[in-house]
Amino acid sequence: MTTGHRRHRVAAMVLLLALLAPLGALGQAASPQTALVNRSVSQEATPANAGPTWADDAVCYEVLVRSFADSDGDGIGDLNGLTQKLDYVNDDDPATTTDLGVTCLWLMPIFQATSYHGYDVEDFERVDPDYGTNEDFERLVAEAHWRGIRVILDLVLNHTSRNHPWFQEALNDPASPYRDWYIFSEEDPGYPGPWGAEAWHRSPVREEYYYGVFWGGMPDLNYRNPAVTAEAERISAFWLNEMGADGFQLDAIKHLIENGQEQENTAETHAWLRGYRSFLDATAPEAFTVGEVFGASPFLLAPYYPDQLHSYFGFEVGAQILNAANYGGASGLVSTVEDALDQLPEQRWAPFLTNHDQPRTMTVFNGDVGKAKLAATALLTMPGLPFVYYGEEIGMVGTKPDERIRTPMQWAAGPGNGFTTGDPWQPLQADAETVNVAAQAEDPASLLSHYRRLIQLHTAHPALAHGDFVPLETSESAVAAFLRQSEEETMLVLLNAGTEPAGAVSLSGTETGLAAGTYQMTSLLGATTTADLAVEADGSLPDQVLLPTLAPLTGFVFQVQIKAGR
């Protein structure tokens, strides 16, 4: 399918979803909790832009503040420690190669919370004292913006902590105005959550039950109540307009509004997100939003467009990148990206390799640096807004329980491994003495240097950041090839996911969008030689071998420039 056909198909799909949105709501019965819905489920979808332009060329870096850098020796990472490390993230000097060069920070929850991870919030307007103060956050934002880094916050709107004053008042006083901010039932409704776990939890103070889809410590908010929506909007405006945040990662959004036993992706959830997006567009039009719809394929994500959040995480694309690197088959990777492009608006999805809920990438690869490099190359040359989990760039390991996926950043050898002068809140991984930033920073062959180079290419070249994606045919199943094209330039990417060298791999393709002629390929990554690329009069690529051999588990990026036309 050509790029032009792909665009028309996406536009048609989006229009169809907009027309069907009201029809899908007709069969929804009123929730037994309350009949009041703040926003009509029949609200029609309207066209929406893709979001602030800074996101077009961005690479985002996910950070757990608790585990990044400790400034005061208490063993817990904090905002001041992160501020001190911003030059590692991006020093705002294109001439240097000592920084990652990422242009966006995603901070996992920083609000005052009950648990270490922050997803059970007790106060939405206060930085957790473990991390510092609101003033520390404002200083971080100022320093980040000076370096060209945007800061987005993990905003947990689905639920609160059971220790939140709202819930405590609702629990203890049935006449409280906060009572209808949560979902209570006099009898146990008896059905479990969507993954089979307990969803209705017995009250500790009387014979009744409350709804908490994740666990009893995180009761769900009731967005059928307009007051809850108004408060969510007020909190959002506070962090965007008063504190300087650039947007939000919205956690667990598919659970926002349940309809009885229909607990995911309800029509009312989509309607609520439309209203929330309209509010943000009016209140903070440059704010960027990315949503977590855990595990969703492009097909399941499609109903969240065009006018809800700007972007959503591409779980399936990330899984296919890991599979390709681990098992050597490249065809599934390309087809998954094509599927996403067919079903979702361009540039409005965000791939990653792994995040804070999954075993770390290097653990998935059993310590194979070659696989990690190949996966990084795929992530940062394919379409979408890429996210990198802190420590992924040096090959940190970690698996369940969750605390061991979120261990402190490994900066250097020695006591505290550069993270703290005290006792770290979690023991660092066993390899921290050898796998760390200091050990890789000056090594051009290291995983860290590879990430730095790829991020620089992604942010500097529009074709890689937001160009069209044109897959090519290859003679080897372990090799993927594709063009990335913008108005300014064309890039050719080759990925050998096999564990053996691939010799004399031929490429071909139709409707590349290139004019007829001979093109010179200049290596930007993975090869030291140049080659020529021939394009026929109809824009197709005849079978041709560009390199005599492709090293195993290696990615190649070429800039394609015409030498002679026809």
Side-chain angles (χ1 to χ4, degrees):
M1 180 181 294
T2 67
T3 304
H5 288 153
R6 184 174 294 119
R7 287 197 185 104
H8 288 309
R9 179 173 172 180
V10 169
M13 180 274 294
V14 167
L15 178 60
L16 179 61
L17 286 171
L19 293 172
L20 291 180
L23 299 178
L26 293 178
Q28 302 296 331
S31 166
Q33 286 79 43
T34 174
L36 179 60
V37 180
N38 186 34
R39 295 191 173 100
S40 170
V41 297
S42 64
Q43 178 179 346
E44 292 189 5
T46 55
N49 59 41
T53 56
W54 64 260
D56 288 344
D57 304 311
V59 175
C60 291
Y61 190 60
E62 180 190 359
V63 168
L64 173 60
V65 172
R66 179 174 296 271
S67 285
F68 201 65
D70 171 23
S71 70
D72 57 13
D74 67 355
I76 297 174
D78 46 51
L79 293 172
N80 288 336
L82 175 55
T83 301
Q84 292 167 7
K85 292 292 188 180
L86 284 178
D87 278 347
Y88 170 81
V89 176
N90 191 328
D91 65 6
D92 194 39
D93 186 351
T96 64
T97 58
T98 56
D99 60 324
L100 283 176
V102 299
T103 51
C104 166
L105 274 175
W106 162 24
L107 305 187
M108 289 173 63
I110 63 169
F111 313 129
Q112 182 174 322
T114 302
S115 304
Y116 82 92
H117 50 67
Y119 284 98
D120 45 2
V121 177
E122 296 179 357
D123 187 339
F124 283 98
E125 293 183 75
R126 185 186 181 196
V127 165
D128 195 294
D130 281 347
Y131 293 167
T133 66
N134 285 24
E135 290 73 24
D136 293 334
F137 176 77
E138 291 178 288
R139 184 163 49 254
L140 167 68
V141 169
E143 290 288 336
H145 286 176
W146 183 82
R147 291 167 174 80
I149 305 168
R150 308 284 179 157
V151 180
I152 62 176
L153 298 179
D154 208 321
L155 182 60
V156 188
L157 294 180
N158 181 71
H159 50 262
T160 68
S161 168
R162 65 182 161 202
N163 294 333
H164 196 293
W166 301 339
F167 185 70
Q168 284 300 306
E169 186 169 331
L171 191 68
N172 290 289
D173 181 7
S176 166
Y178 291 108
R179 182 72 173 179
D180 197 40
W181 286 42
Y182 297 90
I183 303 169
F184 289 92
S185 174
E186 292 182 359
E187 297 182 358
D188 184 357
Y191 57 84
W195 47 87
E198 182 182 24
W200 289 92
H201 311 277
R202 185 165 180 169
S203 165
V205 298
R206 63 178 51 84
E207 186 65 30
E208 65 180 4
Y209 296 82
Y210 65 90
Y211 183 79
V213 69
F214 288 101
W215 74 295
M218 298 194 302
D220 277 40
L221 286 163
N222 176 23
Y223 282 100
R224 293 174 178 271
N225 184 341
V228 179
T229 293
E231 181 66 8
E233 293 176 345
R234 190 191 65 79
I235 290 166
S236 301
F238 170 76
W239 286 101
L240 294 171
N241 295 331
E242 295 186 41
M243 300 300 293
D246 295 291
F248 302 117
Q249 191 279 139
L250 288 117
D251 182 66
I253 57 171
K254 67 179 179 179
H255 303 290
L256 282 174
I257 303 179
E258 289 79 12
N259 187 5
Q261 296 188 52
E262 184 185 5
Q263 296 166 284
E264 300 178 328
N265 309 310
T266 64
E268 289 167 289
T269 290
H270 293 303
W272 191 93
L273 288 170
R274 288 190 193 102
Y276 181 71
R277 171 68 184 278
S278 295
F279 167 79
L280 291 182
D281 284 348
T283 303
E286 288 300 306
F288 176 76
T289 52
V290 57
E292 185 222 25
V293 183
F294 186 79
S297 67
F299 174 78
L300 293 176
L301 276 182
Y304 283 86
Y305 298 93
D307 58 345
Q308 296 167 55
L309 303 186
H310 297 105
S311 186
Y312 303 88
F313 288 121
F315 283 89
E316 191 165 330
V317 172
Q320 285 297 331
I321 292 175
L322 296 179
N323 285 339
N326 238 350
Y327 305 112
S331 59
L333 171 59
V334 172
S335 64
T336 300
V337 172
E338 286 192 285
D339 187 37
L341 288 169
D342 282 347
Q343 299 197 54
L344 308 177
E346 293 182 28
Q347 284 303 112
R348 290 186 60 185
W349 44 284
F352 59 88
L353 299 181
T354 63
N355 66 12
H356 60 276
D357 287 322
Q358 301 165 305
R360 278 189 173 271
T361 299
M362 191 58 83
T363 295
V364 174
F365 293 147
N366 197 27
D368 192 318
V369 175
K371 292 180 178 180
K373 286 184 175 180
L374 179 77
T377 304
L379 175 70
L380 290 157
T381 59
M382 287 187 155
L385 169 59
F387 278 71
V388 176
Y389 186 39
Y390 81 93
E392 190 171 273
E393 73 276 14
I394 58 172
M396 283 178 59
V397 297
T399 190
K400 299 284 186 175
D402 287 344
E403 291 87 341
R404 302 307 295 164
I405 303 170
R406 306 163 185 174
T407 52
M409 182 69 175
Q410 298 168 191
W411 294 103
N417 296 105
F419 165 71
T420 183
T421 58
D423 296 325
W425 76 277
Q426 270 285 306
L428 279 81
Q429 299 291 344
D431 63 2
E433 288 293 298
T434 55
V435 177
N436 54 64
V437 172
Q440 298 184 30
E442 303 300 326
D443 180 2
S446 70
L447 182 59
L448 175 58
S449 294
H450 188 67
Y451 264 93
R452 286 170 169 170
R453 181 63 179 147
L454 280 165
I455 293 169
Q456 178 189 29
L457 289 174
H458 184 98
T459 56
H461 291 277
L464 293 177
H466 55 261
D468 291 338
F469 178 84
V470 182
L472 303 175
E473 299 292 328
T474 73
S475 58
E476 294 288 338
S477 62
V479 177
F482 51 88
L483 298 172
R484 299 297 311 279
Q485 297 173 321
S486 66
E487 292 182 1
E488 302 90 342
E489 58 185 352
T490 296
M491 300 285 187
L492 171 66
V493 179
L494 302 177
L495 302 171
N496 180 12
T499 56
E500 300 294 332
V505 176
S506 65
L507 308 182
S508 61
T510 60
E511 299 185 55
T512 65
L514 294 173
T518 301
Y519 291 77
Q520 177 177 303
M521 301 199 315
T522 303
S523 173
L524 300 180
L525 181 80
T528 57
T529 60
T530 60
D532 286 347
L533 182 73
V535 178
E536 299 288 1
D538 61 357
S540 65
L541 296 184
D543 279 345
Q544 53 199 291
V545 175
L546 302 180
L547 297 176
T549 185
L550 303 179
L553 294 173
T554 306
F556 306 84
V557 179
F558 295 94
Q559 191 170 40
V560 178
Q561 295 173 304
I562 194 163
K563 292 173 63 175
R566 295 179 186 173

